[in-house]
Amino acid sequence: MLFEFDLKTPAQGMIDITREVREAITESGVDEGICVIFCPHTTGAVTINENADPDVKADFIFGMDKIFPDMKEFRHSEGNSDAHLKSSSVGASETVIVTKGRPLLGTWQGIYFCEFDGPRKRKFYVKVMRG
Ligand code: ZN
């Protein structure tokens, strides 16, 4: 089954979407299988990271800004090449194992939508497959 979710994002940030993924898996009725979480945007991304200390999210964005600063040499007329670099480095999707009707995640892991060029209205997709 395919599920579509809407998000309103800040300028930059990591939005915890673990609850939405859990709900999609529950609604799909799949007990054992695979779940794909996909971001259809070129300046957003999906990742799995720590969900305990909120400072990790702040440090993640801070670090990405250091690694991928805006540079005057960029040619892209939209002016958001740093966000495109961040998007591709983090990636557009994650795959999660589904077992006993739940996503298999470590104790400190959460699933995040990453915004690198907001604020915007965004979407993400969750595809749940039995197997
Ligand atoms: Zn662009």
Side-chain angles (χ1 to χ4, degrees), residues 26-59:
T26 299
E27 195 173 327
S28 76
V30 171
D31 283 332
E32 299 294 326
I34 288 286
C35 173
V36 176
I37 305 101
F38 177 69
C39 164
H41 306 288
T42 59
T43 54
V46 170
T47 194
I48 294 174
N49 216 308
E50 177 173 326
N51 64 0
D53 179 1
D55 283 343
V56 171
K57 294 192 287 186
D59 289 352

Side-chain angles (χ1 to χ4, degrees), residues 42-43 76-81 84 117 120:
T42 59
T43 54
H76 177 44
S77 61
E78 200 184 6
N80 60 356
S81 284
H84 288 296
D117 190 31
R120 292 183 192 241

Side-chain angles (χ1 to χ4, degrees), residues 2-79:
L2 180 65
F3 299 85
E4 180 181 316
F5 294 92
D6 295 311
L7 272 183
K8 279 187 182 165
T9 61
Q12 285 205 87
M14 297 172 77
I15 297 102
D16 191 336
I17 58 170
T18 311
R19 182 175 54 84
E20 287 87 343
V21 174
R22 287 187 194 280
E23 287 171 2
I25 293 169
T26 299
E27 195 173 327
S28 76
V30 171
D31 283 332
E32 299 294 326
I34 288 286
C35 173
V36 176
I37 305 101
F38 177 69
C39 164
H41 306 288
T42 59
T43 54
V46 170
T47 194
I48 294 174
N49 216 308
E50 177 173 326
N51 64 0
D53 179 1
D55 283 343
V56 171
K57 294 192 287 186
D59 289 352
F60 181 90
I61 296 298
F62 176 81
M64 293 299 280
D65 280 339
K66 290 288 183 190
I67 296 164
F68 300 109
D70 194 13
M71 293 188 265
K72 66 180 185 337
E73 292 86 355
F74 285 149
R75 297 165 53 161
H76 177 44
S77 61
E78 200 184 6

